[in-house]
Amino acid sequence: MQAFGTGGMMMRLNKKMKKYSFRNKKTVKHIAILMLSILLLTELCGCSLASKEEGAKESRDELIGAIVTKEPIEKTYADFEWSKPVNANTYPTRITFEGITGQFFYAYESKMSGQDEKSSFWDKGDHIQTAINMINEDDKRIVKLKADIFFVVEKPGEIVKFYLNPVYMTSDKMKIYAAPGQGTPGIKVDGLKGITMGDTLSFKEVHKRTLLDQTTIDSFEIEANLYPMDKPLHIWLTHMTKDHQVIKKEEYISVYDRTKDTGYEANTEYGSVRTEPGTAYILMEQELLKPNGSTVIERQILDWDGFMTNDWDEEGREFERKATLLETYYIVTEGYLAKELAIICWPLEE
């Protein structure tokens, strides 16, 4: 548009000049000065526009995470707070998107204060299994953020569709927003526990980003793995002797359910199960709600599998004891589950 506009202006000015007699040298001189002034202003405007465009690229909003939903969304700004600085680092917290039901996870960048350590990324998501990897490929630095999303199958043969909506933070770090993202095809699922759907949502943002240590990453990639589940209702743990006699039967309640109203208290053993003296194994019984509305009981025997954990005696002395990891699931929001790992501490050997 710039070349066309300048050329058109020159043609019009030339026509006007022809109307004047060249004997009127003063008029011709004024017109020539006017033409030069217009050309100069046009060039300056062009440079100014180019500078603004380059600046816009440099201040591009940064991809920080994603929110997985079952419905398409519109661009939505989040309410959030900043955490208190720890080692001069801070990160956004209490991030909520009003009107959106889904699973949100993100990564934030940190660096130890006063250290020469490189910038690192930390994965974060409330009740979501996440992991972040820093990969160097062909002299490129790539950050990959992955999350496991567990969801409840509500109806037999239900056809579901999920959307991976990218979440950005503005360059001035004043706003966080979710943008409409790509979706899966409609997928028919059953209420089977584990990787039965085999579907992965992925989103890839490719652009350089300068980190706190002034190095750069070449791309930020996000992936969500989807797992259909039956709805868990109750879990019972029965402490059994080696002769298969019942010592104690108790209902296991997740840490989330025990603390969602009162809040988590430090130094409290919410995530551990202390077995009764004489316990040789635990019978785990889990009641599940199937998509057809029926309930089933799944049973599993838990015994020591070679895992050791640190523990402390009454006098505060640390020692190792036999333990087993207990994997359970609980409801966190409408239609979504979270995985919880607890530790079964076996009786001390006399």
Side-chain angles (χ1 to χ4, degrees):
M1 290 180 65
Q2 179 179 329
F4 177 80
T6 304
M9 191 175 294
M10 290 287 291
M11 291 176 63
R12 290 193 296 272
L13 287 171
N14 286 335
K15 290 179 181 179
K16 288 185 177 181
M17 288 181 67
K18 289 179 182 180
K19 293 181 181 180
Y20 289 91
S21 170
F22 279 90
R23 288 175 295 180
N24 191 345
K25 295 182 179 181
K26 185 180 289 187
T27 301
V28 173
K29 183 178 179 181
H30 288 167
I31 293 175
I33 292 173
L34 177 61
M35 289 172 60
L36 289 172
S37 299
I38 292 173
L39 287 172
L40 180 60
L41 287 171
T42 303
E43 291 299 321
L44 288 174
C45 289
C47 293
S48 177
L49 288 172
S51 298
K52 288 181 180 179
E53 288 175 358
E54 291 172 3
K57 291 179 182 178
E58 292 175 0
S59 62
R60 184 174 183 175
D61 296 344
E62 292 180 352
L63 176 68
I64 63 169
I67 181 167
V68 175
T69 62
K70 291 183 179 180
E71 301 291 337
I73 68 168
E74 297 179 350
K75 184 177 180 180
T76 305
Y77 286 90
D79 292 324
F80 68 97
E81 300 175 4
W82 284 100
S83 65
K84 294 181 179 180
V86 177
N87 295 323
N89 291 308
T90 184
Y91 59 92
T93 184
R94 301 181 185 276
I95 305 173
T96 57
F97 298 89
E98 186 176 355
I100 297 180
T101 299
Q103 295 278 270
F104 169 61
F105 58 99
Y106 69 104
Y108 63 93
E109 181 189 356
S110 67
K111 183 183 178 184
M112 295 297 290
S113 176
Q115 302 293 325
D116 293 330
E117 299 177 11
K118 288 184 175 296
S119 301
S120 59
F121 281 86
W122 297 84
D123 53 296
K124 190 170 179 64
D126 292 336
H127 314 288
I128 303 173
Q129 299 291 118
T130 55
I132 193 160
N133 298 319
M134 303 287 289
I135 302 171
N136 293 312
E137 294 181 353
D138 301 326
D139 297 326
K140 291 184 178 180
R141 195 177 187 191
I142 301 170
V143 176
K144 291 187 176 182
L145 175 63
K146 295 183 179 181
D148 293 335
I149 307 296
F150 305 98
F151 66 96
V152 176
V153 181
E154 303 287 352
K155 301 175 183 178
E158 180 181 7
I159 297 178
V160 295
K161 187 178 180 70
F162 286 91
Y163 297 84
L164 184 64
N165 308 287
V167 175
Y168 297 91
M169 176 179 284
T170 55
S171 57
D172 58 8
K173 301 188 183 302
M174 298 297 291
K175 295 180 180 179
I176 293 175
Y177 63 91
Q182 57 182 289
T184 62
I187 302 170
K188 184 176 181 180
V189 296
D190 295 316
L192 300 177
K193 181 176 173 181
I195 310 175
T196 58
M197 183 165 57
D199 190 47
T200 300
L201 282 171
S202 61
F203 180 86
K204 188 175 181 180
E205 178 88 351
V206 182
H207 67 90
K208 289 186 179 294
R209 174 178 168 186
T210 303
L211 304 182
L212 294 174
D213 58 0
Q214 299 305 307
T215 60
T216 60
I217 59 172
D218 295 275
S219 71
F220 191 100
E221 301 179 14
I222 294 179
E223 183 178 292
N225 301 300
L226 305 172
Y227 300 92
M229 307 281 287
D230 291 329
K231 185 177 181 179
L233 298 178
H234 300 281
I235 296 175
W236 294 278
L237 302 178
T238 304
H239 304 232
M240 305 288 292
T241 68
K242 62 181 179 180
D243 297 325
H244 315 300
Q245 300 298 311
V246 175
I247 301 176
K248 175 185 177 182
K249 184 174 183 177
E250 61 181 335
E251 183 175 2
Y252 178 80
I253 301 175
S254 70
V255 175
Y256 171 76
D257 287 327
R258 277 186 276 177
T259 61
K260 63 182 178 181
D261 296 326
T262 59
Y264 179 80
E265 296 179 14
N267 302 321
T268 304
E269 293 185 341
Y270 286 122
S272 65
V273 176
R274 298 274 174 174
T275 53
E276 296 294 315
T279 300
Y281 66 94
I282 284 181
L283 174 63
M284 175 181 172
E285 298 174 287
Q286 184 171 207
E287 184 180 12
L288 301 171
L289 178 64
K290 305 294 288 185
N292 61 8
S294 64
T295 59
V296 297
I297 302 292
E298 287 188 352
R299 294 177 174 85
Q300 181 182 357
I301 292 178
L302 303 172
D303 54 13
W304 185 53
D305 55 7
F307 178 67
M308 302 293 292
T309 188
N310 293 333
D311 202 356
W312 290 263
D313 60 21
E314 294 180 355
E315 297 179 359
R317 291 174 297 192
E318 186 176 3
F319 66 95
E320 280 194 333
R321 73 183 303 162
K322 295 178 180 179
T324 299
L325 290 177
L326 172 64
E327 179 181 297
T328 63
Y329 295 83
Y330 58 93
I331 299 289
V332 289
T333 186
E334 183 181 346
Y336 293 98
L337 298 169
K339 180 193 291 187
E340 178 175 288
L341 292 177
I343 296 178
I344 298 176
C345 297
W346 297 103
L348 296 176
E349 297 178 355
E350 297 181 356

